[in-house]
């Protein structure tokens, strides 16, 4: 059994001290990183609650419950930031990425504690795969939200739509990973390939803007 | 496959034009395709359909919400004030079908489907009727509204057939409605192109 809250305290404590000494911009980034880790911790609690409520086994909890809970929890700090602080496009974009990074990092730490760290190749694939998946899901919701954040009806329908896309992407990843074998390898590569194509498309968009 | 092609094409059009309508159509196709991919993968890898959380349904509902946004973005001046009685047929039909599908599906998901499909049908029918009253440019929008109306009807026909026919042969009407639905989804690109050009 892992005492996940103890792990969180241990990792978050030095980061919280560092916040006191940082400049304003870096302080915000680190705060979002810690918020992402906190959301991962809360997701674990909520996941366990719903798994026991529905009598779900480990596979059902991973494939059916975790994507919806994790993506919704990851969205909450961003929604709060967008609604309360009304940040600029650049500020919001980095906040989204830091929340996703914090979430992925804390998830990987918990995975290492539970499963050990002896298989470097698999951990390398998992590190990049899970990291890329969380960042992609964050980017889908975050970038999309910034685009539809114009009118009230666009905000509500757009948030629901983008969150659902992120949940489904996450669910497909978890489904392939839980299947094992070749499906697992494909699952680990899908987020990396999607991230690389996303970088390509954003560069294309930027070059068009410059023209 | 056809959805993926449509998604890529809509994404290219968005990158080229940077117009919101193409962004919304790209989101519609991606949500629909992801829902389908999740459903198929779940059936293949787990040999059953999802029991606890309806992820695929969520994704398809997201696609409908993007279609609703698209219809709103496309609405012409004066269209939102136009409220024909005939257009209310679509939401009424959706809620009747919602009660009918309570026999099979999840109550909450059925209510969500009716809550989104109803307005979708309403906006399509209203847009089409609005076009009948006017001339010139409005007619270009009518093709897109007609496509959405066909999508609305075919989707319901597909669900109804799935309740009564379960065979795997081509004589099963489910497959024919499925082919028709794919054709309707593909038709969104040219009809939207025409509407945007107007």
């Amino acid at each position: 059994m892992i005492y996940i809250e103890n792990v969180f305290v241990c990792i978050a404590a030095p980061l919280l001290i560092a916040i006191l000494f940082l400049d304003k911009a870096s302080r915000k980034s680190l705060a979002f990183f810690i918020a992402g880790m906190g959301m991962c911790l809360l997701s674990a609690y909520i996941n366990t609650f719903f798994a026991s409520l529905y009598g779900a086994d480990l596979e059902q909890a991973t494939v059916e419950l975790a994507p919806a809970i994790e993506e919704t929890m990851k969205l909450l700090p961003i929604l709060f930031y967008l609604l309360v602080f009304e940040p600029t496009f650049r500020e919001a974009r980095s906040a989204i990425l830091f929340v996703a990074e914090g979430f992925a990092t804390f998830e990987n730490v918990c995975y290492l504690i539970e499963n050990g760290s002896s298989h470097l190749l698999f951990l390398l694939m998992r590190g990049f795969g899970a990291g890329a998946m969380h960042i992609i899901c964050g980017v889908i919701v975050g970038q999309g939200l910034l685009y539809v954040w114009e009118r009230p009806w666009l905000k509500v329908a757009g948030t629901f739509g983008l969150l659902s896309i992120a949940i489904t992407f996450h669910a497909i990843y978890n489904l392939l990973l839980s299947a094992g074998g070749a499906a697992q390898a494909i699952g680990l590569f899908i987020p990396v390939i999607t991230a690389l194509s996303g970088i390509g498309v954003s560069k294309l968009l930027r070059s068009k803007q410059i023209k | 496959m056809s959805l993926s092609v449509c998604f890529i094409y809509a994404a290219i059009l968005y990158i080229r034009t940077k117009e919101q309508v193409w962004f919304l159509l790209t989101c519609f196709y991606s949500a629909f395709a992801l829902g389908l991919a999740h459903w198929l993968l779940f059936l293949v890898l787990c040999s059953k359909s999802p029991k606890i959380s309806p992820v695929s349904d969520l994704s398809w509902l997201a696609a409908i919400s993007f279609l609703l946004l698209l219809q709103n973005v496309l609405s012409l001046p004066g269209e939102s004030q136009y409220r024909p009685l005939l257009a209310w047929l679509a939401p009424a039909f959706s809620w009747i079908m919602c009660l009918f599908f309570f026999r099979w599906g999840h109550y909450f998901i059925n209510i969500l489907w009716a809550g989104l499909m109803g307005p979708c049908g309403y906006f399509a029918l209203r847009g089409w009727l609005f076009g009948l009253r006017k001339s010139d440019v409005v007619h270009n929008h009518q093709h897109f509204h007609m496509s959405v109306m066909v999508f609305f009807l075919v989707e319901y026909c597909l669900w109804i057939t799935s309740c009564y026919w379960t065979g795997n042969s081509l004589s099963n009407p489910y497959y024919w409605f499925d082919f028709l639905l794919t054709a309707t989804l593909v038709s969104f690109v040219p009809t939207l192109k025409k509407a945007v050009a107007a």
Side-chain angles (χ1 to χ4, degrees):
Chain A
M1 178 163 173
I2 314 171
Y3 293 97
I4 191 172
E5 57 284 341
N6 297 358
V7 178
F8 176 76
V9 169
C10 191
I11 298 173
L15 296 176
L16 282 169
I17 294 167
I19 277 181
L20 301 172
F21 296 95
L22 287 168
D23 60 281
K24 204 180 168 188
S26 314
R27 196 181 290 168
K28 218 181 263 180
S29 306
L30 207 54
F32 279 113
F33 187 83
I34 297 168
M37 294 203 314
M39 287 301 125
C40 185
L41 174 74
L42 288 175
S43 300
Y45 289 143
I46 297 169
N47 216 354
T48 313
F49 168 75
F50 277 109
S52 67
L53 186 74
Y54 289 115
D57 55 30
L58 183 67
E59 195 188 327
Q60 275 180 317
T62 312
V63 173
E64 295 189 50
L65 288 173
I69 293 164
E70 288 182 8
E71 290 311 317
T72 311
M73 293 303 290
K74 225 159 60 181
L75 177 69
L76 294 180
I78 303 300
L79 265 186
F80 177 77
Y81 187 50
L82 284 172
L83 287 168
V84 177
F85 295 97
E86 294 178 350
T88 61
F89 184 83
R90 193 182 283 266
E91 283 175 331
R93 198 171 55 183
S94 67
I96 292 153
L97 288 175
F98 275 108
V99 169
E101 274 173 37
F103 198 102
T105 307
F106 193 67
E107 197 183 62
N108 278 350
V109 168
C110 294
Y111 180 86
L112 285 172
I113 293 169
E114 202 172 1
N115 300 291
S117 53
S118 52
H119 305 286
L120 178 66
L121 187 68
F122 180 74
L123 288 176
L124 201 68
M125 279 163 69
R126 200 205 129 82
F128 277 107
M133 188 274 296
H134 279 295
I135 286 170
I136 284 169
C137 288
V139 168
I140 290 172
V141 178
Q143 293 279 88
L145 267 187
L146 297 175
Y147 202 77
V148 295
W149 208 252
E150 287 171 5
R151 290 171 244 179
W153 54 268
L154 259 177
K155 279 181 195 174
V156 178
T159 307
F160 165 73
L162 293 162
L163 179 65
S164 302
I165 291 180
I167 289 172
T168 315
F169 187 82
H170 191 154
I172 290 173
Y173 172 83
N174 280 10
L175 187 61
L176 290 169
L177 241 66
S178 68
Q184 190 179 47
I186 294 167
L188 284 165
F189 278 109
I190 284 176
V192 179
I193 294 163
T194 316
L196 291 174
S197 5
I199 292 166
V201 170
S202 60
K203 272 192 178 166
L204 199 73
L205 279 171
R206 248 177 250 156
S207 66
K208 266 191 83 76
Q209 271 174 347
I210 291 164
K211 276 178 192 173
Chain B
M1 190 70 186
S2 51
L3 273 176
S4 308
V5 173
C6 287
F7 162 72
I8 293 166
Y9 188 62
I12 290 168
L13 285 172
Y14 164 63
I15 291 167
R16 271 192 194 162
T17 61
K18 297 219 85 190
E19 283 174 334
Q20 198 174 35
V21 284
W22 295 116
F23 171 75
L24 292 170
L25 191 71
T26 309
C27 287
F28 167 81
Y29 280 132
S30 66
F32 212 97
L34 275 173
L36 207 60
H38 180 263
W39 184 260
L40 287 173
L41 279 171
F42 207 101
L43 283 180
V44 171
L45 298 172
C46 303
S47 309
K48 60 181 178 185
S49 56
K51 290 281 178 289
I52 302 170
S53 103
V55 174
S56 306
D57 277 285
L58 261 185
S59 203
W60 291 323
L61 284 164
I64 306 297
S65 75
F66 284 119
L67 193 61
L68 272 172
L69 291 177
L70 187 53
Q71 285 173 308
N72 259 289
V73 170
L74 273 183
S75 67
L76 292 158
E79 197 177 316
S80 54
Q81 281 81 43
Y82 178 59
R83 293 188 182 99
L85 203 64
L86 194 64
W88 288 101
L89 267 177
F93 176 73
S94 287
W95 284 106
I96 292 166
M97 292 316 290
C98 172
L99 295 175
F100 173 73
F101 289 125
F102 273 172
R103 292 166 65 191
W104 289 279
H106 202 281
Y107 290 142
F108 180 64
I109 293 295
N110 268 322
I111 291 168
L112 273 180
W113 270 112
L116 286 171
M117 285 297 273
C120 185
Y122 174 82
F123 289 135
L125 209 52
R126 187 186 69 178
W128 185 69
L129 290 168
F130 188 72
L132 284 180
R133 294 169 76 218
K134 308 259 173 178
S135 55
D136 58 55
V137 179
V138 184
H139 284 302
N140 289 326
H141 281 69
Q142 267 189 304
H143 300 289
F144 180 72
H145 291 307
M146 264 163 68
S147 284
V148 179
M149 264 162 48
V150 173
F151 166 75
F152 175 87
L153 285 173
V154 172
E155 189 76 290
Y156 273 110
C157 291
L158 191 77
W159 295 337
I160 294 167
T161 49
S162 73
C163 296
Y164 296 107
W165 283 273
T166 50
N168 286 327
S169 68
L170 271 176
S171 60
N172 186 345
Y174 180 86
Y175 291 109
W176 294 102
F177 282 119
D178 203 16
F179 293 142
L180 200 58
L181 186 75
T182 310
T184 317
L185 291 172
V186 172
S187 76
F188 284 173
V189 176
T191 52
L192 186 63
K193 225 174 172 180
K194 205 167 182 180
V196 172

